[in-house]
Amino acid sequence: MNSNPGVNRYLKDKAMDHIDHALGRPVDPLGETYRNHFATDAGGKQAQQFAASPNWEKVGQRDDMAFFGVTDIGKWALKDHLKAIGDPWARYAVTWEGHTVVIAAKSIGNAKYSTYLDVSDSYSELKFVDFAREAKVRRAAA
């Protein structure tokens, strides 16, 4: 079970979008993420900007590619940015037939329906109305 699922979002602020991308677009930038890297041209303008920013640390270089990781300062900057723009994504725990999954969704209803779509692949006879009646959804703790 992934306790910090990723989301499908694009941020207009390009600096924050790069941080979000490097972390794998997690619902919570401060939580454990499955990745933390961004590759760019080692001699390029972007590498220079990253090297000068407290949000990034250079973690390696191979040939003409530089690799940067997001610092704790960068993670906090992203978290603050998401709060400031009113990012709707949150973690929800959906329980059905004794199994609980943690997913990213924009609302309780969205969490229930998204989980139903995943479950209905294996249970083709399952109707949403029946799933909705049986499933329990709660906001998952951070």
Side-chain angles (χ1 to χ4, degrees), residues 30-49:
L30 301 181
E32 186 175 333
T33 61
Y34 76 94
R35 60 177 265 170
N36 183 358
H37 65 276
F38 194 103
T40 189
D41 178 24
K45 182 179 177 182
Q46 191 169 54
Q48 293 172 0
Q49 291 172 338

Side-chain angles (χ1 to χ4, degrees), residues 10-115:
Y10 166 79
L11 302 174
K12 290 180 183 177
D13 182 316
K14 207 56 166 160
M16 291 296 118
D17 193 58
H18 286 323
I19 292 171
D20 199 31
H21 170 74
L23 296 173
R25 303 199 186 281
V27 72
D28 177 13
L30 301 181
E32 186 175 333
T33 61
Y34 76 94
R35 60 177 265 170
N36 183 358
H37 65 276
F38 194 103
T40 189
D41 178 24
K45 182 179 177 182
Q46 191 169 54
Q48 293 172 0
Q49 291 172 338
F50 283 8
S53 170
N55 295 334
W56 297 95
E57 66 181 336
K58 189 171 182 181
V59 295
Q61 184 169 336
R62 187 175 61 223
D63 300 323
D64 62 345
M65 295 299 294
F67 301 93
F68 290 86
V70 180
T71 63
D72 287 343
I73 292 170
K75 291 175 183 181
W76 276 102
L78 178 58
K79 183 164 183 83
D80 292 344
H81 178 73
L82 293 174
K83 184 176 180 180
I85 65 169
D87 182 63
W89 292 97
R91 285 188 302 226
Y92 292 92
V94 183
T95 303
W96 181 68
E97 290 196 345
H99 301 283
T100 301
V101 294
V102 176
I103 68 162
K106 294 181 178 182
S107 67
I108 287 175
N110 180 238
K112 193 175 279 193
Y113 188 67
S114 293
T115 305

